[in-house]
Amino acid sequence: MGSDDYYASRMLFDTLLRYDDDGEIVGGLAESWDFDATGGTVDIAEGATCADGTPIDAEIVADSLNRFASPDTQSGSKILVFGNGEVSAEVLDSHTVDISLSEPFSELDAGLTMVASGIVCPAGLDDLDGLGAGQVPGAFSGPFSLTSVTSGVEYVLELRDDYAMWPDFISRLDGRPPDRVSFSVGDDVATNANEVLGGSLDLAGVSPTDTERFPNVALVYIGEQYIVFNQNETSPFQDEDLRRAVARTLSGEAYNEVTYAGRSEVEYTMGDSGMQCANTDEALVEEYDRDAVQAEGVLDGVEMVYSASNSFGPNGIGAEYIYQELTDAGAHVDYQLVDNSTWASLVLGPDAPSWDITLFGTVNQTATLWTGVSRIMGTAIEDGGRSMSRADNPDGEQLADEVMRSTDPDAKCETYQKLQENFLGRVDVVPLTASIEVFALADGIAYEPPNSRMDYTAVRIVD
């Protein structure tokens, strides 16, 4: 198999909560939970153990969560699990943990499904260097243990004989979990396809244009893709008319065909149609009409710096589509097509204000609108937050704050809808498609990821 490490980590570290195959949040290590916008209590299920046999109780869970949330850990995922404020996990009794948040965060239940919040057992917390190197066998709380590491080459996981915490939606799958899983390092989809056909890989990501070569494929939602504008004082996109013109220049349908051979989902917000509270009203986004934009000359001669990663489609063809449409509409585009690491330094790093427009792709592990919304609302990156747009949007900020304080699910979705009407109406973003990955499966391998979200614990051997 080939994958990103944070997806493999789902096999090693159990989370308190999970998403099931209907997109509902269900228990993982938690038997029950009761949250409001400022935290709440979690009851730990009986029978869970660490890989070294240590029973998982409230103390282990609290210690793991506190270490994850600590400023010393510097986890970039903390803000998506617990929000911006301070976090405290305290033991109430042997099976109950109280989580307190200093700032309201109504997505706590979704946050605790994120693999970054997975429970690290005492052996790992006692040896953080060894934990980071994958050399503490007793650190794992999930169904697999990491038994061999060849850095940059191969990572071998083996199924725990004593594991008994499979959630119902996983237990219902046909077949059996593999006894051993080997993750190899590599990101060339053409090579992946040939190795699956040749028998050296059982499961690997392939190009959407390659699916006809395989009788057995799985489509997995990773996140979302959309245009984000930098609205700082030096950017032309402080002008809403220019943002609107860009939106009319781009077609989600065309982008889907170019990037994913039409296999993804065109989106009308910063999330897919199966996401809680996501807008599905296409009337809220600008209608594609590039010819009219050309005729009106709105973008003629407008100078802009466009930064994009080459990871969008084969050889960055998705990013190229955006560039071509902007150029054809008359804009003068300084086009920066770079690898993911360089893109992150350009757009999310200390020199971030130097860009004007970017093609942004999320890895939305919490499956929430907030993963995207927090990129255009709230605390700016340079101040320790996630927001990259630098937009002056007090009405949106007020609605975002109301979302974070919501305790009733229906009221929360009503406020989220108002918030989406706000930022879509202002054209702070231009939604395009879902980010997807297509997996080719060898004969005898089944992969039915719950709710079409990445979860390798759902891989089964069926022969």
Side-chain angles (χ1 to χ4, degrees), residues 341-352:
S341 178
T342 303
W343 172 86
S345 67
L346 288 171
V347 176
L348 304 178
D351 297 326

Side-chain angles (χ1 to χ4, degrees), residues 225 252-253 265-273 278-286 369 417 420-421 423-424 429-434:
Q225 294 175 19
E253 287 80 5
E265 173 190 325
V266 176
E267 295 184 340
Y268 303 105
T269 187
M270 304 175 87
D272 63 81
S273 59
N279 172 66
T280 57
D281 182 1
E282 59 186 276
L284 292 186
V285 302
E286 293 296 312
L369 286 171
Q417 185 62 28
Q420 291 168 95
E421 292 169 2
F423 65 70
L424 292 172
V429 296
V430 182
L432 294 169
T433 69

Side-chain angles (χ1 to χ4, degrees), residues 31-335:
E31 181 178 54
S32 61
W33 57 99
D34 183 18
F35 295 148
D36 61 21
T38 58
T41 57
V42 180
D43 293 323
I44 311 305
E46 295 185 5
T49 63
C50 300
D52 61 5
T54 303
I56 297 176
D57 59 13
E59 183 177 2
I60 288 176
V61 169
D63 287 346
S64 180
L65 293 180
N66 283 327
R67 178 257 174 185
F68 164 67
S70 170
D72 293 338
T73 303
Q74 297 183 329
S75 172
S77 299
K78 177 265 174 187
I79 194 171
L80 292 175
V81 177
F82 295 120
N84 284 310
E86 297 178 359
V87 183
S88 174
E90 297 184 1
V91 176
L92 296 185
D93 58 45
S94 61
H95 290 286
T96 308
V97 176
D98 180 77
I99 300 173
S100 297
L101 309 178
S102 67
E103 296 184 19
F105 185 67
S106 64
E107 302 286 16
L108 177 59
D109 53 352
L112 289 172
T113 70
M114 191 174 184
V115 68
S117 71
I119 301 306
V120 179
C121 289
L125 296 183
D126 290 342
D127 183 3
L128 294 179
D129 290 339
L131 176 69
Q135 298 174 348
V136 186
F140 308 116
S141 58
F144 288 81
S145 291
L146 183 63
T147 58
S148 176
V149 176
T150 305
S151 183
V153 179
E154 183 186 41
Y155 302 81
V156 178
L157 285 64
E158 294 186 3
L159 183 67
R160 290 173 49 192
D161 293 335
D162 63 339
Y163 185 77
M165 298 302 293
W166 297 107
D168 288 343
F169 67 91
I170 295 292
S171 298
R172 291 195 297 266
L173 296 173
D174 294 333
R176 58 183 175 82
D179 294 324
R180 181 181 183 275
V181 177
S182 171
F183 285 94
S184 58
V185 176
D187 60 2
D188 185 274
V189 291
T191 300
N192 287 350
N194 291 332
E195 291 190 357
V196 172
L197 290 172
S200 57
L201 284 176
D202 291 313
L203 182 152
V206 298
S207 170
T209 60
D210 248 356
T211 56
E212 293 184 359
R213 301 171 63 189
F214 301 93
N216 193 10
V217 297
L219 187 151
V220 179
Y221 281 52
I222 304 297
E224 302 79 41
Q225 294 175 19
Y226 39 79
I227 294 295
V228 179
F229 301 98
N230 191 345
Q231 298 179 45
N232 75 340
E233 59 186 11
T234 64
S235 172
F237 293 113
Q238 279 195 325
D239 186 338
E240 183 177 319
D241 289 339
L242 293 183
R243 302 197 301 270
R244 199 171 302 280
V246 169
R248 295 167 62 205
T249 300
L250 305 176
S251 163
E253 287 80 5
Y255 181 85
N256 187 17
E257 289 294 333
V258 166
T259 309
Y260 290 118
R263 293 184 64 93
S264 188
E265 173 190 325
V266 176
E267 295 184 340
Y268 303 105
T269 187
M270 304 175 87
D272 63 81
S273 59
M275 190 175 291
Q276 184 188 47
C277 307
N279 172 66
T280 57
D281 182 1
E282 59 186 276
L284 292 186
V285 302
E286 293 296 312
E287 184 176 356
Y288 172 69
D289 196 350
R290 188 194 64 192
D291 291 343
V293 174
Q294 287 178 313
E296 295 163 6
V298 184
L299 293 176
D300 280 354
V302 175
E303 297 186 358
M304 63 185 73
V305 178
Y306 166 46
S307 298
S309 165
N310 58 14
S311 64
F312 297 103
N315 300 313
I317 194 170
E320 183 70 22
Y321 162 77
I322 304 297
Y323 168 70
Q324 194 62 56
E325 291 283 26
L326 292 174
T327 301
D328 289 349
H332 293 174
V333 183
D334 180 357
Y335 181 29

Side-chain angles (χ1 to χ4, degrees), residues 12-29:
L12 299 172
F13 301 100
D14 270 352
T15 51
L16 291 176
L17 302 177
R18 303 279 291 270
Y19 277 105
D20 69 7
D21 44 2
D22 293 321
E24 300 294 329
I25 294 176
V26 299
L29 288 176

